[in-house]
Amino acid sequence: MSGTCDGGWYPLMLSADLELGTVAGSTVLGRDLAVWRDGEGQAHVWDDRCPHRGMRLSLGFVREGALACLYHGWRFGVDGRCVHIPAHPDLSPPGTIRAAPLPVAECHGLVWASVEEDGSLPEGDPAMDAAAWVPVRSLRIEAPWQDVARAVGMPDGHRAAALDRDVEGRVLAALLPVREGACMLHLLAAASAGVERLHDLADWGQDVRARAEERAGQVFLAGVVA
Amino acid sequence: MSELVLHDDELDEDCYRVRLFLSLLGLEARRVAVDVVPGGAQDSPGFRAVSPAGLLPVLRIDGQMVCGAGGALLALAHGRPAWLPEVRADFARVAHWLQFAAGPLRATLLMRRACLFGGAGDGQSARRRAAVGALRIMEDHLVHRRLEGGAWFVGDGPTVADIALFPAAALCRDWGEEYSAYPALRRWVRAVRGLPGFVTMPGIPDYG
Ligand code: FES
């Protein structure tokens, strides 16, 4: 998997956060996606629009190897085709009713999707391939992804990289541009990091978030409000 | 235990906290509906005679009236060590989160009410920032819990703290926060949903 911006591959979420038989939402550059894992463990990424009436598929649930829409219960198989319409249980739905699957890859502890139609296939990145990665966490940051990339020391033009932050081991940082001025930062540690180190990296993520948002003029302080 | 009575508003998340806990405990309460929107019944003399400060819900337990979700949850958890640990350090952790739910986390409830009942959302208001800040405190805590192998706010299983905190996370979409910004909260919400006896409220989908 190349960490560069070529090929249109984006790191959506930590693999560990997509449990078997569940669906989650994700947004890339303002485009809403439904990310789901079937009973066999395979991840799927579709546009987050139900072919029936356009409701969000990410609010649905996974049943019998298919993604079910919450609103009227239409179910869609792994190829995106509608396999079941509860209001017409005996009907075999026409093949033209289908969700829009995107190319998906799962590696380095992350679920990736290619959101550009001509996206080339992922290529190897030696530093990222050289380690097994332990998930730490993902954070939403209300700041431009390029600013966060600079702050964590990402090489120019990369959305993901194995960073040599400190002597205690490498960190995989991956950035998902959510929309203008907001991103998700995913952090993983090179195996076999101890629990203390994972806690430290999780805290470091909070620190990166706080600083980036301060630079962006966004501060989210809890407290008692009216 | 004598008959349990719950003065309850179906659409209110504080009332839902108590309904959810009753259901998880396998308890039935006689429900007395309080028409808050649009009736404003929480300010009627009749209701104020039950709940002098107008707090909802009101639980009658062992002949005693308890006003407000935090108090009602505690009264129900009393004598149930699985839900309210007896070891002081864990009890203190639960107390910490109950206080959080009754304090800083109110910002999420106010945001939701403003968005559902008060017309448009209010953009990047101080209230919204405080609400996001409160959800992040929960998210950050669960991240650390998960790194040490825990899935709940305190200890190895669900406590009354999880129940007090749950609606704020489960209902955040009502005021425009996406679950995708809070991956740890999302997994925890799923774990709470999987508890035997779990019930929903309007705004929390029922997968059937
Ligand atoms: S909108 Fe999805 S089933 Fe109707």
Side-chain angles (χ1 to χ4, degrees), chain A residues 50 52-55 69 71-74:
Chain A
C50 179
H52 178 218
R53 295 252 180 99
M55 306 305 279
C69 176
Y71 293 89
H72 314 95
W74 289 29

